[in-house]
Amino acid sequence: MTAGSQMNANNLHEPAAGFDFSNYLRNQNLLQTDGAAPKLKAKKTGTTIVGTVYAGGVVLGADTRATNDTEVAERNCEKIHYIAPNMYCCGAGTAADTENTTALISRQLELLRMDTARPSRLVTAVTLLKRMLFRYQGHVSAALVLGGCDLQGPHIYQIYPHGSTAKLPYTSMGSGSLAAMAVLESSWQENMTEDMAVQLVQRAIGAGIFNDLGSGSNCDICIIKTDGTVDYRRNAVKPNELAPLRAQVQRSGRLNMRPGLTPIIKSEFKPHPVVAAGGETAMEVE
Amino acid sequence: MGTLMASTEESSVVATTSLPIEHRFSPYDFNGGTVAAVSGPDYVVVAADTRLSSGYEIKSRNVTKLHALTDKCILASAGCKTDVDQLRSVLDIRGKMYQYNHRKPMNTPSVAQMLSVTLYGKRFFPYYAFNVLAGIDAQGVGAVYSYDAIGSFERTQYSAAGSGQAYVIPFLDNVIGNRNRLEEKPILTATEVVELLKDAFLSAGERDIYTGDQVEIMVVTRDGIQTQTFALKAD
């Protein structure tokens, strides 16, 4: 009988609600064994994400680097997630947690829109997210910047993995949040125009990309306006293109792997057996 | 009256906190970076990136990891910068003393041995330095020596060390070491090797967060040392 489960009427084990900690001791032992630790590591995003309100809506920004400890796992991942037609959410922390949490709440909101026949409100999304994250006591490592426009106007919220939230005119999260916040604090003003807001977000994300080792590559921008339109600018700025640097290297022909270079140790051909029901070959046409 | 409570089947397993942890000051910090060296019949090429980091921060984009111990021998070190600096000082002093006593600079195999002995001297509080020594040996042939933190060393044709080591070595294995290639192992010129190392560092910079900014490349021949720099990505 595994801890935390109970027998039901059909003698099947039902998992108890919440997290099952029965693997905790096994994980501790694994971490002590040499070489087993990498198997337990979750991919973290090591990120810079920002959001700001401006005169006509909100602007969200994010970098595009996903890291596995100190290795870059993905150079151009998407960190601005769709929540609703009028809401997007930037996610920092463990990649699987941010993707699945935002997807779950997005789908819950869609069902709610069908039930209520109304556009979603940001407070609803914030409440759904914080209730879920608090229930998991911070084990779901998702730090989010949620932004959008509803009938009450444009809003930016920041949501921490343990479930606390804050409603702010501008914010940044992730390992590059200090670099980004330095830019935001020096340049943010109330009632910016769209261009000013976009420039500010790009500079803030740029500060994270170049000064934080956990962030890098490109900058994604998402503008959500109070009139309901969304401008999702994937790779709005690409300051880290590799091609110009590679072009400066006189690549030696030595690098090219021509056919015939790779040693073939053994070669074997086995035709796949095709047996139709009734013993006839499947290729016969009737 | 002291009756034992039987634990119910429904009691949930709460994650137990671990035993009391003794907090200690760690004297080591990893300052990142990658170094690599390739030797040839009459040259040796050493390359190292110039980024100094600590944690997730960049401390400097322009700090050298290469140090000429003689005019024919260069020490490339990644690891903890303060330990690397101290190691360089100690080697410089011992090299000078050798020069005063023998009226000539140390040759490369002797420097290699001296470095090993110096590292093992701190076997129980090691220099956090991952070294690659590159130079021209007494016969005029290129030599590369790779080390671990406590002085075990081996002369090899090429080597890499540091945070981006795992991205550079397999590449060098294929192109310099001719592994998994059905052809004659070619003899490469110093210029070709320089271009290959630039490519290797561009690739390492893509995947290792500690490698980037610039590569400093030194070519050592019997005529001396030539230096060039090459830009990498700054993110």
Side-chain angles (χ1 to χ4, degrees), chain B residues 1-226:
Chain B
M1 281 217 291
T3 51
L4 277 173
M5 283 273 285
S7 58
T8 62
E9 272 180 287
E10 263 127 39
S11 66
S12 55
V13 172
V14 176
T16 51
T17 52
S18 47
L19 296 166
I21 304 163
E22 184 189 332
H23 291 277
R24 301 199 65 207
F25 163 73
S26 168
Y28 294 120
D29 187 22
F30 181 59
N31 299 125
T34 311
V35 302
V38 177
S39 63
D42 59 352
Y43 64 85
V44 78
V45 185
V46 209
D49 74 319
T50 61
R51 173 177 283 176
L52 186 80
S53 356
S54 180
Y56 274 124
E57 291 171 37
I58 298 177
K59 297 297 183 186
S60 171
R61 298 192 193 268
N62 198 7
V63 166
T64 180
K65 292 184 180 64
L66 303 175
H67 180 70
L69 289 170
T70 69
D71 62 353
K72 291 206 168 27
C73 174
I74 296 178
L75 176 66
S77 316
C80 175
K81 179 77 171 38
T82 183
D83 275 358
V84 165
D85 285 345
Q86 183 65 10
L87 179 63
R88 287 173 184 169
S89 284
V90 166
L91 293 173
D92 278 342
I93 289 168
R94 292 177 83 156
K96 259 192 202 152
M97 281 164 57
Y98 180 99
Q99 184 149 8
Y100 296 153
N101 288 327
H102 297 81
R103 296 192 200 175
K104 66 177 173 96
M106 286 179 84
N107 65 19
T108 302
S110 307
V111 174
Q113 181 66 22
M114 175 178 73
L115 174 55
S116 170
V117 162
T118 308
L119 290 170
Y120 199 83
K122 271 172 67 69
R123 168 68 178 83
F124 299 112
F125 183 7
Y127 287 107
Y128 190 158
F130 305 111
N131 300 296
V132 171
L133 187 75
I136 304 291
D137 72 6
Q139 284 72 47
V141 177
V144 168
Y145 296 87
S146 29
Y147 292 78
D148 72 354
I150 48 174
S152 163
F153 76 112
E154 183 191 25
R155 182 170 175 175
T156 49
Q157 191 197 357
Y158 57 89
S159 180
S163 55
Q165 171 187 43
Y167 306 109
V168 172
I169 288 188
F171 172 72
L172 295 181
D173 277 342
N174 181 255
V175 178
I176 312 280
N178 210 44
R179 302 278 205 288
N180 304 113
R181 276 181 180 255
L182 281 178
E183 59 180 2
E184 284 271 316
K185 192 166 158 177
I187 300 176
L188 301 165
T189 63
T191 334
E192 279 177 296
V193 171
V194 165
E195 300 300 306
L196 287 171
L197 281 175
K198 286 179 187 172
D199 237 350
F201 273 81
L202 275 173
S203 305
E206 283 287 279
R207 292 291 174 176
D208 177 32
I209 61 177
Y210 293 119
T211 303
D213 292 323
Q214 261 184 322
V215 201
E216 197 182 356
I217 306 178
M218 289 189 180
V219 182
V220 190
T221 53
R222 127 188 98 158
D223 303 324
I225 304 176
Q226 285 174 319

Side-chain angles (χ1 to χ4, degrees), chain A residues 48-50 171-173 176-185 203-205 207-208:
Chain A
T48 311
I49 49 175
V50 307
T171 185
S172 69
M173 305 271 277
S177 63
L178 273 71
M181 190 50 87
V183 171
L184 290 172
E185 286 291 9
R203 281 199 300 126
I205 297 292

Side-chain angles (χ1 to χ4, degrees), chain A residues 50 59 61 183 195-209 219-221 233 236-237:
Chain A
V50 307
V59 180
V183 171
D195 277 337
M196 284 166 70
V198 169
Q199 289 297 314
L200 178 62
V201 166
Q202 283 173 351
R203 281 199 300 126
I205 297 292
I209 285 175
C219 173
D220 288 350
I221 299 267
R233 298 183 192 171
V237 191

Side-chain angles (χ1 to χ4, degrees), chain A residues 1 3-6 21-22 24-25 28 46 65 67 69-75 175 209-218 240-242 245-246 248-258 260-264, chain B residues 9-18 51 53-58 61 167 171 174-176 178 180-186 188 192 195-196 198-200 202-203 205-210 230-235:
Chain A
M1 168 95 98
S5 68
Q6 299 171 13
F21 284 98
S22 54
Y24 181 77
L25 289 170
Q28 293 298 94
R65 172 182 282 183
T67 52
D69 271 346
T70 61
E71 176 182 0
V72 176
E74 221 182 318
R75 280 172 289 193
S175 59
I209 285 175
F210 288 107
N211 299 109
D212 174 43
L213 293 174
S215 316
S217 296
N218 314 122
N240 288 302
E241 287 299 278
L242 185 63
L245 293 172
R246 283 261 191 234
Q248 288 178 27
V249 179
Q250 258 91 63
R251 283 177 71 92
S252 162
R254 191 92 184 90
L255 290 167
N256 303 331
M257 291 293 275
R258 312 177 287 284
L261 264 186
T262 307
I264 298 175
Chain B
E9 272 180 287
E10 263 127 39
S11 66
S12 55
V13 172
V14 176
T16 51
T17 52
S18 47
R51 173 177 283 176
S53 356
S54 180
Y56 274 124
E57 291 171 37
I58 298 177
R61 298 192 193 268
Y167 306 109
F171 172 72
N174 181 255
V175 178
I176 312 280
N178 210 44
N180 304 113
R181 276 181 180 255
L182 281 178
E183 59 180 2
E184 284 271 316
K185 192 166 158 177
L188 301 165
E192 279 177 296
E195 300 300 306
L196 287 171
K198 286 179 187 172
D199 237 350
L202 275 173
S203 305
E206 283 287 279
R207 292 291 174 176
D208 177 32
I209 61 177
Y210 293 119
F230 179 71
L232 296 177
K233 282 162 68 169
D235 67 350

